[in-house]
Amino acid sequence: MASNTPTKGEQTRMRIAPRICRNDRGAAIVEFALILPLLSMMALGMLTGGIALDRKQDINNAAREAARFGATVAEHQCDDTSKCDGLTWAQLVRALAVQRSNGAVVSANVCVALVSGPGWAPVAVGSSHTTAGGVNPCYVDNSSDTDPRVQVSVSRTDRMEAVLFTMNLNLNSKATARFET
């Protein structure tokens, strides 16, 4: 017949087990305190990284939409600026880029140019058709097309933060669209 009384070895284990559990009570709090800064860094980094990604998408869309809009606006439509709310052709396209960026950029960070010539040396068709000054293009687009095309360049700075460090980001977007005459 089996006895319900524990053996001497079982009694020793039963006395040691509560002490082990009792000594581990604070371990979870200490481990959480050690992990919390890392979790905070990751969470803040993901949040600010996501915000920076959203702004990058905003400037990509703004550049693309402004280039497409500029490609459809007649070249001489704004020669009489009263037809374009007092803006030149390039200023009109730049204003659309700023509007479509959802507040991510200001007009000083947007360059617009109606250029022609080889892609390695594009030239603006006139001073009212570029915001880069003179007859300068916004960038060298290396296009094989020498026909007129619209260049839009949008940039802004941003930063990604984590608890212990900050990373500065330069967000840039360029778009080129063939000018429809």
Side-chain angles (χ1 to χ4, degrees):
M1 203 165 175
S3 149
N4 287 343
T5 333
T7 65
K8 191 162 185 114
E10 290 173 336
Q11 288 175 350
T12 305
R13 276 184 290 202
M14 289 169 45
R15 275 186 259 136
I16 293 174
R19 273 190 254 150
I20 291 173
C21 291
R22 215 176 306 131
N23 291 339
D24 286 346
R25 281 186 187 161
I29 293 171
V30 171
E31 290 170 359
F32 181 71
L34 292 173
I35 298 296
L36 184 62
L38 295 174
L39 290 175
S40 298
M41 285 176 52
M42 287 176 47
L44 187 60
M46 287 188 296
L47 178 69
T48 58
I51 291 169
L53 179 63
D54 181 58
R55 289 184 181 145
K56 174 66 174 169
Q57 290 175 337
D58 285 343
I59 68 170
N60 281 344
N61 288 334
R64 185 176 48 248
E65 288 185 34
R68 189 70 202 124
F69 173 74
T72 61
V73 175
E75 182 178 348
H76 299 290
Q77 178 175 329
C78 297
D79 285 351
D80 179 9
T81 56
S82 64
K83 294 179 182 178
C84 297
D85 294 329
L87 302 173
T88 64
W89 180 92
Q91 291 169 339
L92 181 68
V93 176
R94 178 171 59 184
L96 181 95
V98 171
Q99 176 195 17
R100 298 295 167 93
S101 73
N102 295 325
V105 295
V106 294
S107 60
N109 295 343
V110 179
C111 180
V112 174
L114 176 59
V115 300
S116 62
W120 50 269
V123 177
V125 297
S127 61
S128 65
H129 291 85
T130 183
T131 58
V135 290
N136 295 321
C138 293
Y139 53 91
V140 175
D141 57 22
N142 292 318
S143 173
S144 60
D145 189 7
T146 59
D147 292 334
R149 56 199 177 276
V150 179
Q151 294 179 337
V152 178
S153 174
V154 181
S155 64
R156 78 163 279 150
T157 57
D158 211 338
R159 68 179 163 198
M160 190 169 88
E161 296 180 18
V163 175
L164 299 177
F165 71 90
T166 298
M167 181 188 301
N168 292 322
L169 305 171
N170 292 318
L171 306 177
N172 301 306
S173 182
K174 295 177 182 175
T176 304
R178 186 175 183 163
F179 187 70
E180 299 173 10
T181 53

